[in-house]
Amino acid sequence: MKKIIIGSDHAGFKMKEHLRVFLKEAGYEVTDKGAYSEDSADYPDFAHAVAREVEEGGKVTGVLLCGSANGVAITANKHAGIRAALCWNSEVASLARLHNDANIICIPARFVNNAEAESMVTLFMTTEFEGGRHQRRVEKIDC
């Protein structure tokens, strides 16, 4: 069973809850790192928690949400070995895996609906890294 670590701030809470249930029903093992309500919360707290788990978990994939997804993507990408991709449609989500070997998808909850988020996460989880010419590019990412 593939493991997914999910987190959001208050702006992404409702969509996170929807995706958490959707992913469990799809057979994934889902760990929720918060937020646990719509009360105002700081996105770095959740982005760091998800990124740490992905960093240490090997074949673990992350899902992060906030209003624009910029904050969680910027924060998660501070972690070594994390390639967090801000995705706003299914094609971008697929390419993030195919070409960039992204290990965290960041979804802008204020700009996509639940069906679009489901599609993006599904493609992100099922698309394999293409490797080849993309491998050398990915190897150049870490500082």
Side-chain angles (χ1 to χ4, degrees):
M1 178 181 303
K2 185 130 182 177
K3 294 181 180 182
I4 298 176
I5 312 299
I6 193 167
S8 73
D9 68 356
H10 57 282
F13 173 74
K14 283 184 180 178
M15 186 172 283
K16 176 189 64 88
E17 289 298 292
H18 175 83
L19 289 174
R20 185 177 56 77
V21 171
F22 170 77
L23 290 164
K24 282 185 177 185
E25 289 175 353
Y28 293 99
E29 179 183 330
V30 180
T31 301
D32 186 353
K33 292 295 189 175
Y36 304 109
S37 75
E38 289 184 271
D39 294 341
S40 183
D42 299 334
Y43 63 82
D45 297 338
F46 311 106
H48 285 306
V50 169
R52 273 192 294 275
E53 292 273 339
V54 173
E55 256 182 317
E56 299 166 1
K59 291 285 185 185
V60 177
T61 302
V63 176
L64 283 167
L65 303 100
C66 71
S68 70
N70 282 306
V72 292
I74 290 167
T75 304
N77 279 316
K78 299 293 183 189
H79 290 257
I82 295 300
R83 290 172 305 283
L86 195 161
C87 300
W88 56 90
N89 66 35
S90 295
E91 184 178 11
V92 173
S94 178
L95 287 172
R97 287 286 309 127
L98 193 66
H99 292 177
N100 307 115
D101 199 19
N103 49 17
I104 298 177
I105 183 172
C106 301
I107 299 173
R110 290 186 176 142
F111 298 93
V112 299
N113 62 42
N114 286 342
E116 291 167 327
E118 287 176 11
S119 176
M120 287 189 287
V121 170
T122 299
L123 278 168
F124 192 83
M125 296 303 298
T126 58
T127 301
E128 293 294 325
F129 178 50
E130 190 173 58
R133 70 186 189 278
H134 303 292
Q135 181 64 47
R136 77 171 183 275
R137 296 169 185 160
V138 169
E139 289 170 359
K140 294 179 179 183
I141 293 173
D142 287 339
C143 293

